[in-house]
Amino acid sequence: MPVLSEGDLALIHALQLRPRASWTELGRTLGVDAVTAARRFRQLTERGEAWVGVSPGPTLLHRLCVAFAEIDCAAGAADAVAGALRGHPHAVTIERTADTHRLLATVVTADIAAMARYTLDVLSAVPGIAAVRTRIVTHMFAEGGQWQIDALDREQRSLLRTPPGGGETGRGTGSEEITSRDRTLLSLLHHDGRASFQTLAEALGTTAFTVRRRLDRLTRLGLVRFRCDFARPLGGWPVAVTFWATAPVRELPAVGHALVRLPEVRNCAAVTGEHNLVVQATLHSVSDVPRLEIRLCDVHPGLVVTDRTMTLRHDKLLGRVLDPRGRSLGVVPPDVWCEPGTSAPAP
């Protein structure tokens, strides 16, 4: 049974649309005052049931090296391996699958050389890991920060769809890089994506104006995206599934862009290996899995789902360490630029 109320889910959906909107804007959309909206979200965050953080924007995803790593563990070692990987900044998401000896990790590094060092050297040295199969992402059609629930009506969504004074951010054309100061800023935002400019400025030893200007630029260039996540099992989305599929190579871009329009799809990427497409979805029930698989295959006659992996538990979600019910226990900021095998610097 879902634990989060309809009011909680409406607030979460509003924050998925505008993660840093003012409480006045959010309250007006939800029909409550700003103090009530702020208090409700504070209660959710204190219980670990919802949080706002950051994720790579489309421009940055294009520059980084992303992979899905299937990790086979020795008998009885999966729990210990998952515990070890939770502290790795490059293993940004860790899923415990229905195959009790296998983990599925989403790995992100600065480049392909760092990916090699992490998957070939760091993971091989973790006690209990028997084998690693790494599928490199060649194109990300959609990532988890874009996935949204459906708790607001059309009018409410329209009020929050476009930020005042600007449109949606997209992929930038500049060559601007993430600096060491940016990495510290992002680490702070992983802990609290709604932290005020003044709070961030004090931690960085600079001015609120400087922080705001830099964040505006990072989001406008598509380097950073804010996102609101929540304990999905408590909200009525307890089922996560990964489909491994094969599509005709020439049709792969069209198939990928079509699949991301399905509301259940959380991640969709072209990958290397025996399957050239991976699709991850969040669902209400196990019975939704075959229905979604049929819908996936209906997108294109040449698409073949070759395997499906059920996730029984998320141990980590984009740096958030989770309990068995999906609640946040803490943060390991995914500083994907640090050298594999080292810890991310504390903010």
Side-chain angles (χ1 to χ4, degrees):
M1 288 288 293
V3 173
L4 299 179
S5 68
E6 290 185 7
D8 294 334
L9 294 174
L11 176 56
I12 290 167
H13 190 185
L15 285 163
Q16 287 181 327
L17 290 169
R18 293 280 305 286
R20 285 181 62 87
S22 71
W23 293 121
T24 299
E25 292 176 275
L26 294 166
R28 183 167 56 243
T29 300
L30 299 172
V32 299
D33 60 67
V35 173
T36 299
R39 184 183 70 250
R40 287 180 179 175
F41 189 65
R42 183 177 65 252
Q43 292 170 342
L44 289 171
T45 57
E46 288 174 350
R47 296 193 299 263
E49 294 171 350
W51 56 92
V52 171
V54 288
S55 63
T59 301
L60 189 55
L61 276 175
H62 183 67
R63 299 178 187 176
L64 297 173
C65 187
V66 182
F68 293 96
E70 291 182 293
I71 301 170
D72 290 341
C73 304
D79 190 61
V81 171
L85 297 188
R86 280 196 290 267
H88 291 194
H90 299 92
V92 299
T93 295
I94 303 168
E95 303 175 53
R96 305 279 288 274
T97 73
D99 182 338
T100 55
H101 301 318
R102 179 170 296 177
L103 307 178
L104 177 61
T106 304
V107 177
V108 185
T109 60
D111 52 36
I112 190 69
M115 180 65 70
R117 292 195 294 275
Y118 182 73
T119 57
L120 299 179
D121 303 328
V122 175
L123 289 183
S124 65
V126 176
I129 291 183
V132 178
R133 285 176 298 281
T134 305
R135 307 178 194 279
I136 305 294
V137 171
T138 57
H139 184 78
M140 185 71 74
F141 296 104
E143 56 86 24
Q146 298 170 278
W147 179 76
Q148 296 175 4
I149 59 178
D150 186 19
L152 299 178
D153 61 35
R154 181 177 299 179
E155 182 178 353
Q156 289 173 311
R157 291 196 300 269
S158 67
L159 291 173
L160 293 169
R161 186 72 67 182
T162 304
E168 298 286 336
T169 58
R171 177 171 294 177
T173 57
S175 58
E176 189 156 356
E177 299 296 329
I178 297 293
T179 67
S180 59
R181 177 62 66 91
D182 293 333
R183 289 167 60 183
T184 303
L185 174 59
L186 294 178
S187 180
L188 293 166
L189 290 168
H190 276 292
H191 285 275
D192 181 7
R194 286 189 59 85
S196 70
F197 295 121
Q198 185 59 43
T199 297
L200 296 169
E202 291 172 1
L204 292 169
T206 186
T207 66
F209 174 77
T210 298
V211 171
R212 179 168 189 161
R213 182 178 59 185
R214 184 56 179 164
L215 270 180
D216 285 347
R217 181 163 179 78
L218 291 174
T219 54
R220 187 171 63 253
L221 291 176
L223 294 168
V224 173
R225 172 182 285 143
F226 289 92
R227 58 186 280 169
C228 178
D229 283 305
F230 65 103
R232 294 167 189 168
L234 301 184
W237 284 268
V239 176
V241 61
T242 299
F243 294 101
W244 306 97
T246 301
V249 175
R250 294 183 183 277
E251 302 296 327
L252 188 58
V255 172
H257 288 298
L259 292 178
V260 300
R261 298 190 186 101
L262 299 177
E264 301 91 343
V265 171
R266 189 176 80 250
N267 290 320
C268 182
V271 293
T272 60
E274 59 185 310
H275 323 285
N276 63 2
L277 191 67
V278 59
V279 181
Q280 294 188 303
T282 302
L283 304 168
H284 293 295
S285 68
V286 173
S287 61
D288 288 332
V289 174
R291 287 194 285 267
L292 177 58
E293 184 171 339
I294 291 171
R295 293 183 66 193
L296 295 178
C297 295
D298 285 344
V299 167
H300 191 281
L303 179 67
V304 178
V305 174
T306 51
D307 198 4
R308 62 232 21 97
T309 301
M310 290 286 296
T311 295
L312 296 183
R313 180 187 301 169
H314 274 87
D315 279 13
K316 192 177 179 186
L317 179 65
L318 198 68
R320 285 273 169 172
V321 178
L322 306 181
D323 74 4
R325 303 198 72 188
R327 291 172 295 207
S328 172
L329 296 173
V331 184
V332 179
D335 182 9
V336 301
W337 298 272
C338 69
E339 177 61 24
T342 63
S343 299

XYZ file of all heavy atoms in Angstrom, residues 185-228:
354
model
N 30.424 22.748 -5.713
C 29.050 23.251 -5.754
C 28.069 22.116 -6.010
O 27.029 22.005 -5.341
C 28.931 24.318 -6.845
C 27.525 24.868 -7.144
C 26.914 25.496 -5.909
C 27.583 25.868 -8.298
N 28.385 21.241 -6.958
C 27.501 20.123 -7.271
C 27.401 19.151 -6.096
O 26.332 18.592 -5.837
C 27.994 19.395 -8.525
C 27.928 20.205 -9.825
C 28.488 19.378 -10.981
C 26.516 20.646 -10.132
N 28.501 18.960 -5.385
C 28.460 18.096 -4.203
C 27.482 18.652 -3.171
O 26.693 17.903 -2.581
C 29.865 17.976 -3.600
O 29.850 17.139 -2.466
N 27.507 19.941 -2.955
C 26.559 20.571 -2.030
C 25.131 20.383 -2.503
O 24.222 20.106 -1.708
C 26.888 22.061 -1.897
C 28.213 22.412 -1.209
C 28.563 23.878 -1.467
C 28.138 22.138 0.284
N 24.909 20.519 -3.798
C 23.561 20.411 -4.343
C 23.054 18.971 -4.351
O 21.844 18.746 -4.320
C 23.516 21.002 -5.751
C 23.665 22.525 -5.813
C 23.891 22.983 -7.244
C 22.423 23.209 -5.228
N 23.964 17.999 -4.395
C 23.526 16.610 -4.264
C 22.921 16.383 -2.885
O 21.979 15.600 -2.733
C 24.693 15.650 -4.488
C 24.948 15.345 -5.932
N 24.061 14.618 -6.708
C 25.983 15.682 -6.749
C 24.550 14.508 -7.934
N 25.703 15.137 -7.982
N 23.457 17.066 -1.884
C 22.903 16.950 -0.536
C 21.582 17.697 -0.420
O 20.651 17.214 0.234
C 23.900 17.505 0.494
C 25.066 16.601 0.743
N 25.034 15.571 1.652
C 26.308 16.578 0.183
C 26.203 14.948 1.658
N 26.988 15.533 0.774
N 21.486 18.849 -1.038
C 20.260 19.662 -0.957
C 20.149 20.515 -2.206
O 20.753 21.579 -2.303
C 20.284 20.542 0.293
C 19.026 21.397 0.439
O 18.080 21.206 -0.357
O 18.988 22.265 1.346
N 19.368 20.030 -3.160
C 19.211 20.738 -4.423
C 18.408 22.021 -4.320
O 18.345 22.790 -5.281
N 17.778 22.263 -3.167
C 17.038 23.502 -2.960
C 17.772 24.462 -2.027
O 17.199 25.454 -1.575
C 15.641 23.207 -2.412
C 14.691 22.638 -3.459
C 13.266 22.559 -2.921
N 12.747 23.843 -2.502
C 12.167 24.727 -3.310
N 12.034 24.476 -4.613
N 11.709 25.875 -2.833
N 19.033 24.181 -1.744
C 19.803 25.084 -0.896
C 19.800 26.487 -1.501
O 19.906 26.656 -2.722
C 21.233 24.570 -0.753
N 19.682 27.482 -0.663
C 19.618 28.863 -1.146
C 20.965 29.283 -1.714
O 22.015 28.733 -1.369
C 19.219 29.804 -0.010
O 20.267 29.912 0.938
N 20.938 30.291 -2.566
C 22.183 30.820 -3.125
C 23.085 31.329 -2.011
O 24.309 31.178 -2.084
C 21.880 31.938 -4.126
C 21.128 31.475 -5.345
C 19.895 32.016 -5.664
C 21.647 30.496 -6.182
C 19.191 31.595 -6.781
C 20.963 30.063 -7.301
C 19.723 30.619 -7.599
N 22.497 31.915 -0.981
C 23.290 32.435 0.125
C 23.964 31.313 0.893
O 25.148 31.399 1.239
C 22.408 33.257 1.067
C 23.179 33.951 2.192
C 24.242 34.904 1.659
O 23.995 35.661 0.714
N 25.437 34.852 2.237
N 23.232 30.223 1.139
C 23.815 29.075 1.839
C 24.963 28.481 1.039
O 26.036 28.158 1.587
C 22.733 28.005 2.083
O 21.718 28.541 2.942
C 23.334 26.766 2.730
N 24.774 28.342 -0.259
C 25.819 27.806 -1.122
C 27.019 28.745 -1.159
O 28.173 28.301 -1.113
C 25.275 27.590 -2.531
C 24.159 26.543 -2.673
C 23.523 26.621 -4.058
C 24.704 25.134 -2.424
N 26.748 30.040 -1.218
C 27.831 31.030 -1.273
C 28.681 30.983 -0.013
O 29.919 31.060 -0.077
C 27.242 32.424 -1.470
N 28.038 30.856 1.139
C 28.782 30.798 2.396
C 29.675 29.563 2.443
O 30.813 29.626 2.922
C 27.805 30.806 3.568
C 27.085 32.141 3.753
C 25.992 32.084 4.796
O 25.802 30.991 5.396
O 25.328 33.112 5.039
N 29.189 28.441 1.937
C 29.990 27.214 1.934
C 31.165 27.321 0.966
O 32.220 26.714 1.192
C 29.116 26.025 1.563
N 30.994 28.098 -0.097
C 32.028 28.220 -1.121
C 32.937 29.426 -0.901
O 33.931 29.591 -1.613
C 31.377 28.338 -2.503
C 30.662 27.078 -3.016
C 29.838 27.391 -4.255
C 31.670 25.982 -3.309
N 32.568 30.285 0.044
C 33.363 31.475 0.294
C 33.267 32.502 -0.811
O 34.263 33.142 -1.178
N 32.055 32.658 -1.358
C 31.856 33.623 -2.438
C 30.532 34.340 -2.214
O 30.002 34.329 -1.103
C 31.895 32.906 -3.809
O 31.830 33.873 -4.854
C 30.759 31.914 -3.955
N 29.994 34.975 -3.235
C 28.759 35.731 -3.088
C 27.579 34.965 -3.681
O 27.752 34.123 -4.573
C 28.849 37.093 -3.793
O 28.945 36.885 -5.217
C 30.080 37.871 -3.315
N 26.386 35.274 -3.182
C 25.173 34.646 -3.701
C 24.988 34.975 -5.177
O 24.530 34.126 -5.957
C 23.963 35.110 -2.893
N 25.343 36.199 -5.574
C 25.218 36.593 -6.975
C 26.095 35.718 -7.865
O 25.664 35.264 -8.939
C 25.595 38.062 -7.152
C 25.631 38.506 -8.590
C 24.461 38.773 -9.277
C 26.848 38.629 -9.258
C 24.482 39.167 -10.617
C 26.886 39.015 -10.587
C 25.698 39.287 -11.264
N 27.329 35.453 -7.409
C 28.252 34.625 -8.187
C 27.719 33.207 -8.330
O 27.765 32.611 -9.415
C 29.633 34.599 -7.521
O 30.161 35.940 -7.486
C 30.593 33.691 -8.277
N 27.188 32.638 -7.246
C 26.642 31.281 -7.294
C 25.449 31.221 -8.236
O 25.338 30.306 -9.056
C 26.244 30.802 -5.887
C 25.482 29.485 -5.962
C 27.468 30.649 -5.013
N 24.564 32.201 -8.112
C 23.370 32.199 -8.972
C 23.750 32.309 -10.445
O 23.213 31.582 -11.291
C 22.441 33.345 -8.585
C 21.196 33.405 -9.461
C 20.165 34.325 -8.896
N 18.904 34.197 -9.626
C 17.739 34.588 -9.171
N 17.642 35.134 -7.964
N 16.652 34.430 -9.888
N 24.684 33.196 -10.741
C 25.095 33.377 -12.137
C 25.714 32.092 -12.686
O 25.435 31.688 -13.818
C 26.098 34.531 -12.221
C 26.574 34.842 -13.636
C 27.513 36.029 -13.637
N 28.678 35.784 -12.806
C 29.624 36.680 -12.553
N 29.503 37.905 -13.039
N 30.666 36.373 -11.796
N 26.534 31.408 -11.865
C 27.178 30.189 -12.330
C 26.153 29.070 -12.527
O 26.196 28.358 -13.544
C 28.249 29.743 -11.325
C 29.042 28.532 -11.786
C 29.690 28.772 -13.141
N 30.469 27.629 -13.602
C 30.879 27.462 -14.849
N 30.567 28.370 -15.782
N 31.595 26.413 -15.192
N 25.228 28.914 -11.598
C 24.214 27.877 -11.745
C 23.319 28.143 -12.948
O 22.945 27.220 -13.672
C 23.372 27.778 -10.479
C 23.863 26.806 -9.406
C 22.926 26.812 -8.211
C 24.017 25.405 -9.966
N 22.972 29.400 -13.149
C 22.160 29.740 -14.318
C 22.881 29.340 -15.601
O 22.270 28.817 -16.536
C 21.845 31.233 -14.334
C 20.789 31.635 -13.321
O 20.118 30.737 -12.778
O 20.637 32.846 -13.066
N 24.189 29.574 -15.630
C 24.951 29.245 -16.838
C 25.056 27.729 -17.023
O 24.907 27.216 -18.137
C 26.341 29.875 -16.768
C 27.198 29.606 -18.015
C 28.369 30.537 -18.131
N 29.166 30.244 -19.318
C 28.859 30.594 -20.550
N 27.736 31.273 -20.776
N 29.645 30.299 -21.571
N 25.320 27.008 -15.945
C 25.448 25.558 -16.033
C 24.150 24.910 -16.513
O 24.168 23.976 -17.317
C 25.856 24.981 -14.683
C 27.276 25.298 -14.193
C 27.481 24.774 -12.777
C 28.323 24.717 -15.133
N 23.016 25.397 -16.026
C 21.737 24.826 -16.448
C 21.398 25.256 -17.873
O 20.886 24.461 -18.660
C 20.619 25.236 -15.487
O 20.583 26.663 -15.334
C 20.824 24.611 -14.123
N 21.692 26.504 -18.211
C 21.375 26.987 -19.555
C 22.168 26.242 -20.625
O 21.664 25.977 -21.721
C 21.647 28.491 -19.643
C 21.182 29.138 -20.952
C 21.265 30.644 -20.893
N 22.628 31.124 -20.723
C 23.136 31.637 -19.604
N 22.373 31.719 -18.521
N 24.380 32.048 -19.536
N 23.414 25.865 -20.302
C 24.256 25.133 -21.246
C 23.955 23.642 -21.260
O 24.566 22.880 -22.015
C 25.739 25.355 -20.914
C 26.297 26.752 -21.170
C 27.735 26.840 -20.692
C 26.205 27.122 -22.644
N 23.039 23.200 -20.396
C 22.700 21.786 -20.359
C 23.734 20.933 -19.656
O 23.785 19.715 -19.851
N 24.561 21.553 -18.803
C 25.568 20.805 -18.066
C 25.003 20.219 -16.773
O 25.472 19.186 -16.296
C 26.768 21.700 -17.746
C 27.577 22.165 -18.970
C 28.548 23.261 -18.581
C 28.327 20.987 -19.584
N 24.025 20.882 -16.207
C 23.442 20.457 -14.933
C 21.928 20.514 -15.044
O 21.357 21.408 -15.685
C 23.912 21.372 -13.785
C 23.175 21.044 -12.492
C 25.415 21.229 -13.574
N 21.270 19.539 -14.410
C 19.808 19.510 -14.366
C 19.388 19.193 -12.930
O 19.931 18.297 -12.302
C 19.268 18.440 -15.323
C 17.786 18.200 -15.198
C 17.335 17.101 -16.144
N 17.271 17.559 -17.521
C 17.596 16.836 -18.571
N 18.030 15.612 -18.409
N 17.492 17.328 -19.789
N 18.444 19.962 -12.412
C 17.899 19.673 -11.090
C 16.801 18.620 -11.217
O 16.113 18.542 -12.237
C 17.339 20.941 -10.445
C 18.407 21.911 -10.027
C 18.841 22.912 -10.879
C 19.000 21.809 -8.781
C 19.841 23.795 -10.513
C 19.996 22.687 -8.391
C 20.420 23.680 -9.256
N 16.646 17.812 -10.156
C 15.647 16.749 -10.210
C 15.097 16.492 -8.809
O 15.795 16.676 -7.818
C 16.239 15.470 -10.783
C 17.424 14.926 -10.020
C 18.058 13.737 -10.700
N 17.338 12.496 -10.460
C 17.565 11.363 -11.115
N 18.469 11.323 -12.078
N 16.885 10.269 -10.836
N 13.856 16.071 -8.764
C 13.228 15.660 -7.512
C 12.977 14.161 -7.571
O 12.362 13.673 -8.518
C 11.919 16.418 -7.279
S 11.058 15.924 -5.766
